[in-house]
Amino acid sequence: MPELHLDVQRASRATALPTDEQIRQWVLAALEGHRDEAELSIRIVDEAESQQLNRDYRGKDKPTNVLSFPAELPEEVDLPLLGDLVICAPVVAREAEEQHKASPAHWAHMVVHGTLHLLGYDHIEDAEAEIMEGLEVKVLAGLGIADPYQPADRPTEAPGA
């Protein structure tokens, strides 16, 4: 199991948020096999902050579910710092409802997805997307969570929900 230094910041008014322990479990699952040690921050925000960051860093003037900010360290600096994730609680809640997924399962997906971005995975090109989505499905299955890319007939559950 990787050693994880995790800082969770809650800057959202939302009340139905995962616990720090759930978030830790999801990050560790995504890190397994990739890193022996990692340090990252996850900031949970509302739509205004997400929209501002998405506009400033990606040129998209709307809130989004998860933004990843990988650490950009010089090669000679040997630190376990991965970077930061910003997750928008209202967007995640809305997506879970629209996709008929249990909120904890969708939160797990967003944390895993963002952590994989910090590890260098992406989904811009089809081949990259196939690799990243395959990893997400595998990690989530290990957590007992159904494939998030398959249509859901009923809400999925997440451990500890």
Side-chain angles (χ1 to χ4, degrees):
M1 175 103 15
E3 183 178 335
L4 175 61
H5 306 276
L6 177 64
D7 176 37
V8 178
Q9 302 170 7
R10 296 170 186 277
S12 172
R13 292 190 180 110
T15 55
L17 298 176
T19 66
D20 287 4
E21 189 49 45
Q22 286 174 306
I23 293 169
R24 172 176 287 281
Q25 177 186 12
W26 301 331
V27 170
L28 285 169
L31 292 173
E32 191 68 40
H34 293 282
R35 297 286 290 261
D36 293 330
E37 185 179 5
E39 181 177 336
L40 69 137
S41 295
I42 297 178
R43 183 171 172 83
I44 301 170
V45 301
D46 286 328
E47 289 174 310
E49 187 171 342
S50 175
Q51 182 169 345
Q52 179 182 354
L53 290 168
N54 201 21
R55 180 183 58 241
D56 292 352
Y57 290 95
R58 296 180 65 228
K60 297 183 179 188
D61 195 13
K62 63 181 183 175
T64 189
N65 51 22
V66 60
L67 292 165
S68 59
F69 298 94
E72 296 177 3
L73 301 174
E75 268 187 48
E76 63 273 9
V77 176
D78 186 26
L79 291 174
L81 185 61
L82 273 183
D84 304 315
L85 297 178
V86 177
I87 303 176
C88 183
V91 171
V92 173
R94 187 168 49 251
E95 288 176 347
E97 185 175 325
E98 290 169 355
Q99 297 170 22
H100 307 288
K101 296 176 180 173
S103 182
H106 194 51
W107 269 98
H109 183 205
M110 294 300 95
V111 170
V112 168
H113 182 88
T115 302
L116 289 175
H117 273 307
L118 294 179
L119 289 168
Y121 292 94
D122 212 334
H123 49 81
I124 295 171
E125 303 293 329
D126 288 345
E128 293 175 332
E130 191 173 317
I131 292 168
M132 185 170 177
E133 289 174 10
L135 282 170
E136 290 173 55
V137 169
K138 181 180 176 186
V139 170
L140 292 170
L143 293 165
I145 299 171
D147 181 344
Y149 296 103
Q150 296 300 312
D153 295 328
R154 56 191 167 82
T156 55
E157 294 300 324

